[in-house]
Structures are given as structure tokens and as C-alpha cells.
Amino acid sequence: CLTISVEQFKSNRRCRLAKDDVVVAIGGYLGNAAIVRTNVAAVIGQHSALLPFGHPTPHDPRYLVAFLNSHVGETLFRRWARG
């Protein structure tokens, strides 16, 4: 976990984590997904993808995470992976 300055945090709006966002590993363990449980002052790095779920949302992000972490979801995710 690296520490960044307040200025860097403010300039990285697209990388900020918010409650109920889904984060997917795209480096290392490709496709492992997780839900951000609380609002935190944090940003993701280059080996993660952020899937903002929108706030408020009528959808439960747990369904997306369950699918992405399933055998079918992992197979589809790997099909589109590059590198």
C-alpha cells in the first residue's frame, strides 16, 4: 500500500474508490473481483480496474462480483484479457 499526497488524490478522480464499487484485478490474479464496503480515501493502482456501480443504485454489486468470480465469468474475462 503506497501513500500519495492530497494533491495526487484530488487529481485522480477516476481512480477513487467509493462504497459499493467493484474492483477487479487485471494484473497477477486476473479477474478476482471484490466490493468496496465503505467510503475510503483511496485510489486504485494500475493492476486493478474500477467498475463504479453508481450511487444510489437499485442493483446489488454482490451479483456482479459473484458472476465475475464464477467459472463462467472468469472464462469470459480471460477471453478478453491481453498481455
Side-chain angles (χ1 to χ4, degrees):
C1 184
L2 300 174
T3 303
I4 62 173
S5 69
V6 173
E7 293 79 25
Q8 288 173 316
F9 178 76
K10 288 180 180 177
S11 69
N12 285 303
R13 289 185 199 167
R14 295 182 315 152
C15 300
R16 289 184 195 168
L17 300 177
K19 186 178 185 304
D20 293 332
D21 284 347
V22 174
V23 179
V24 181
I26 57 173
Y29 297 101
L30 182 65
N32 288 347
I35 300 170
V36 178
R37 299 255 182 216
T38 61
N39 283 316
V40 292
V43 294
I44 60 168
Q46 65 186 15
H47 297 292
S48 302
L50 177 63
L51 306 173
F53 230 70
H55 307 284
T57 178
H59 307 290
D60 189 336
R62 292 179 293 183
Y63 291 108
L64 177 59
V65 169
F67 173 74
L68 290 174
N69 289 336
S70 73
H71 177 71
V72 173
E74 181 181 337
T75 300
L76 291 173
F77 201 85
R78 286 184 187 281
R79 179 184 294 174
W80 297 103
R82 294 189 179 120

